[in-house]
Amino acid sequence: MDLPELPGFKFGAGDMFGPPGLYLDSSSSEPDFGFAFNDRNFSDRLLRIEIMAPGSNPGAEGFGSISDWARRRKRRREESVNVSDVLAGAEEQVLTNEKPDMDEGEAMIQEAFAGDDEDDVTNAPNWGFESFDYSGVERVRELHISSPILAAKSPFFYKLFSNGMLESGQRHATLLINASEEAAFMELLNFIYTNTVSVTTAPALLDLLMAADKFEVASCMRYCSRLLRDQPMTTESALLYLDLPSTVIVAASVQPLTDSAKKFLAARHKDITKFPEEFMSLTLAGIEAVLSSDDLEVASEDAVYDLVLKWARARYSSLEVRREILGSRLARSIRFPFMTCRKLRKVLTCSDFDHELASKLALEALFFKTEAPHKQRSLAAEESASEHRRLVERAYKYRPVKVLEFEHPMPHCVVYLDLKREECIGLFPSGRIFSQAFHLGGQGFFLSAHCNLDQQSSDHCFGLFLGMQEKGSMGFGVDYEFSARSSPSEEFKSKYKGNYTFTGGKAIGYRNLFGIPWTSFVEEEDNVNFINGILHLKAELTVRRSTDP
């Protein structure tokens, strides 16, 4: 271990001293100086610790232990929003009969929720000694210390003892701490000497972590972070780790702990409908952790957008603050390129977003949609290592589609649906994949890919169907054609065409689109249906006529 040179002290590689058993074990490079702690014989200075009485500095909110700080944050969150009222008053979008929800009405959440606009602004415990009132000193502790040992572990103490300050030329030094910080500071000194700690509970370890950050003992921060990661994670502890003061949370030694907290929250809320009240009570950092997951189980990115808007309106009653939070933080967690065009139009007129930002997000999404599939995959790969991964597609329940719409000479649309080979394999023996909704002539439709039994051969096979939403009883005549790309030409070839008069909730299609058994459809060698592992499907729809049933 390289130790800094101090006036009158010089440690070299062969100059370590101490009794037998100085090192913790033969593989450790960190010496154990526990024998020298508060021992006059092995110390060169006296550390005077002046301890402030509780409440002696009432003007410094946030001053005290991490436990006090966490309790205050939790109380503010509970006071800021009544979750039950929010959920009861919100319009819920329920998907039934495995069909996409094509309701055009956006759930309108009242903006007048009670909230603490500054809830997510970190209020760290105040370790700044300059704010103390010296008259509030309750008692004093004095310890014999070795300045080289403290300076070797802490840049704070190194500067204190070597930068020409008054303390550096004296044989004693004075520090002021609050009574609630005493235990953590003493534990920190013990770690500096012994490389271990005696505390095991999460609150005590967090107090120690905060002290180690203030006094710049990185090795202690790593040690506490590792011990905290080894403890069972809960939603409350995960949120606390993510809401630590910025000086702590950005430290490299704490990153593994915050990464574990993010993974825990993302896994717990993978299905964000499972714990709705808990989801609505998450902090800003918690929401960001959940939305960072590629494996989020949601119907579509439209649903993610609606949930983010719902949470923001419940949390921040001030439109100005809400716009700031959405623009600077949460917009990065929404993957706008995978939202439907109809929802993107609503983004443009949403008052919760700054209009300039909303226009930028919508245009970027639309430009991405116009790119060829291979270009989209290339752009997504370039961004895959970033934190927000806006161009990476989630595992949506309803698969995104590309739609070209024409109004004249008659309503007509071309719909493109791409499925990965792994997704198709996962359909066996009776699975289904639904597409996002698309619209034609004012009616909502969707595609569904099936693995089903061929009624003639009794073999499993791949089928494709077209369904219409349940809306009204008016007959709706549609001419349709299903096509698929195939090698080696990679051009779309027609597989099935027909016409059908739809009424609400009806579907039509072909049970064996490729006319081959399932094993031939998914085989790896010489498969002409999958191009670079992607099945490219196309459906063309034209309104034929509208009649009464």
Side-chain angles (χ1 to χ4, degrees):
M1 178 180 65
D2 295 328
L3 298 176
E5 294 187 6
L6 299 177
F9 296 90
K10 185 177 292 185
F11 281 175
D15 297 329
M16 304 305 292
F17 60 89
L22 174 65
Y23 290 89
L24 291 172
D25 55 61
S26 58
S27 62
S28 174
S29 61
E30 295 290 339
D32 181 358
F33 290 111
F35 68 90
F37 184 54
N38 199 24
D39 190 312
R40 183 191 300 269
N41 296 321
F42 298 100
S43 303
D44 65 304
R45 296 178 189 258
L46 187 69
L47 179 64
R48 177 183 173 90
I49 307 171
E50 297 186 352
I51 302 168
M52 305 294 292
S56 61
N57 192 21
E61 186 191 347
F63 194 92
S65 69
I66 189 70
S67 301
D68 297 334
W69 174 65
R71 280 193 295 269
R72 281 193 298 273
R73 289 179 57 79
K74 181 179 180 182
R75 184 171 63 250
R76 285 200 304 273
R77 286 198 300 270
E78 289 173 345
E79 292 172 350
S80 68
V81 59
N82 186 322
V83 175
S84 298
D85 291 345
V86 171
L87 294 175
E91 178 184 340
E92 297 294 331
Q93 297 184 357
V94 181
L95 301 178
T96 58
N97 300 324
E98 297 185 298
K99 296 185 179 65
D101 183 0
M102 317 247 184
D103 190 352
E104 297 179 19
E106 178 183 2
M108 300 304 295
I109 311 300
Q110 292 184 356
E111 297 181 6
F113 290 104
D116 183 352
D117 296 338
E118 299 177 356
D119 177 55
D120 287 284
V121 178
T122 301
N123 290 319
N126 183 359
W127 288 83
F129 302 133
E130 67 278 0
S131 63
F132 279 108
D133 176 5
Y134 283 75
S135 63
V137 174
E138 182 182 58
R139 53 195 170 86
V140 175
R141 294 183 66 166
E142 292 185 343
L143 297 173
H144 295 284
I145 60 170
S146 171
S147 56
I149 294 177
L150 268 66
K153 288 289 186 66
S154 165
F156 176 93
F157 284 110
Y158 177 76
K159 290 179 286 187
L160 182 67
F161 298 139
S162 65
N163 67 356
M165 294 175 61
L166 179 63
E167 289 83 352
S168 65
Q170 297 180 348
R171 311 316 296 171
H172 69 271
T174 301
L175 291 178
L176 292 163
I177 64 173
N178 188 275
S180 62
E181 302 163 329
E182 179 182 2
F185 182 71
M186 296 304 297
E187 193 66 46
L188 179 64
L189 291 178
N190 177 69
F191 177 87
I192 291 175
Y193 276 83
T194 67
N195 302 297
T196 188
V197 299
S198 61
V199 296
T200 58
T201 65
L205 287 170
L206 283 170
D207 283 341
L208 179 55
L209 180 66
M210 302 283 282
D213 172 65
K214 173 61 184 179
F215 293 102
E216 304 176 62
V217 187
S219 57
C220 186
M221 294 182 71
R222 286 192 296 271
Y223 193 92
C224 293
S225 178
R226 185 171 68 249
L227 291 181
L228 287 168
R229 292 201 314 274
D230 291 340
Q231 296 194 0
M233 189 79 71
T234 65
T235 298
E236 184 175 6
S237 64
L239 293 176
L240 187 58
Y241 301 153
L242 294 180
D243 286 336
L244 285 169
S246 58
T247 56
V248 178
I249 206 168
V250 299
S253 55
V254 183
Q255 285 299 306
L257 176 63
T258 56
D259 288 344
S260 295
K262 291 176 181 178
K263 290 178 181 178
F264 171 83
L265 291 174
R268 179 170 175 80
H269 294 280
K270 182 177 181 180
D271 179 358
I272 52 183
T273 64
K274 191 174 183 180
F275 306 106
E277 292 192 13
E278 183 177 303
F279 179 84
M280 288 297 294
S281 67
L282 293 178
T283 62
L284 176 59
I287 290 289
E288 290 178 314
V290 172
L291 299 184
S292 68
S293 173
D294 297 342
D295 300 322
L296 204 61
E297 294 179 354
V298 289
S300 66
E301 198 66 26
D302 290 4
V304 174
Y305 171 82
D306 288 336
L307 279 170
V308 169
L309 210 55
K310 177 180 176 181
W311 180 89
R313 288 171 174 172
R315 177 69 57 167
Y316 304 102
S317 59
S318 167
L319 178 60
E320 182 179 356
V321 174
R322 189 161 65 246
R323 279 184 175 179
E324 170 62 24
I325 294 297
L326 285 169
S328 63
R329 300 283 293 272
L330 291 177
R332 299 177 299 180
S333 300
I334 303 173
R335 304 183 184 185
F336 290 92
F338 299 101
M339 290 171 56
T340 64
C341 292
R342 298 175 72 85
K343 184 63 74 171
L344 288 174
R345 291 191 188 101
K346 293 184 178 181
V347 174
L348 290 172
T349 59
C350 180
S351 61
D352 297 271
F353 284 88
D354 175 77
H355 180 69
E356 184 176 347
L357 174 63
S359 299
K360 178 176 180 292
L361 293 170
L363 283 175
E364 287 179 348
L366 291 172
F367 279 127
F368 180 82
K369 288 177 179 291
T370 62
E371 297 285 1
H374 73 275
K375 180 62 174 178
Q376 291 181 346
R377 290 191 292 271
S378 175
L379 292 171
E382 292 176 4
E383 197 192 50
S384 61
S386 67
E387 181 181 356
H388 301 291
R389 300 165 62 84
R390 294 179 305 109
L391 303 181
V392 178
E393 189 175 334
R394 304 185 202 266
Y396 301 113
K397 182 177 180 180
Y398 301 128
R399 305 294 297 140
V401 291
K402 285 186 175 182
V403 183
L404 297 177
E405 297 183 50
F406 305 91
E407 292 293 335
H408 303 287
M410 61 186 66
H412 175 80
C413 70
V414 183
V415 185
Y416 296 92
L417 172 65
D418 293 345
L419 300 177
K420 298 177 183 177
R421 185 172 179 275
E422 311 87 78
E423 293 176 314
C424 294
I425 292 175
L427 292 175
F428 186 85
S430 58
R432 300 180 180 185
I433 294 178
F434 293 96
S435 79
Q436 289 182 352
F438 56 92
H439 292 76
L440 175 67
Q443 294 291 331
F445 291 86
F446 62 93
L447 295 174
S448 60
H450 297 217
C451 175
N452 40 225
L453 284 174
D454 188 300
Q455 294 177 336
Q456 296 181 350
S457 65
S458 296
D459 291 328
H460 285 88
C461 53
F462 179 86
L464 185 64
F465 293 81
L466 171 66
M468 190 179 84
Q469 73 172 114
E470 296 185 23
K471 185 176 181 181
S473 58
M474 179 72 71
F476 198 84
V478 174
D479 294 330
Y480 62 92
E481 181 177 8
F482 296 152
S483 305
R485 287 187 190 272
S486 59
S487 298
S489 67
E490 298 189 357
E491 294 180 355
F492 279 103
K493 294 183 179 180
S494 177
K495 297 296 181 181
Y496 184 74
K497 63 172 58 178
N499 54 70
Y500 188 72
T501 301
F502 286 90
T503 56
K506 298 296 183 180
I508 191 67
Y510 199 58
R511 297 180 66 85
N512 191 349
L513 186 68
F514 295 95
I516 56 177
W518 185 263
T519 52
S520 300
F521 169 67
V522 297
E523 66 182 358
E524 292 191 48
E525 296 183 3
D526 301 324
N527 194 320
V528 300
N529 299 312
F530 290 91
I531 301 174
N532 296 324
I534 303 294
L535 177 67
H536 300 273
L537 301 172
K538 181 177 75 170
E540 292 192 53
L541 286 68
T542 303
V543 173
R544 180 161 43 88
R545 65 179 181 273
S546 297
T547 61
D548 291 327

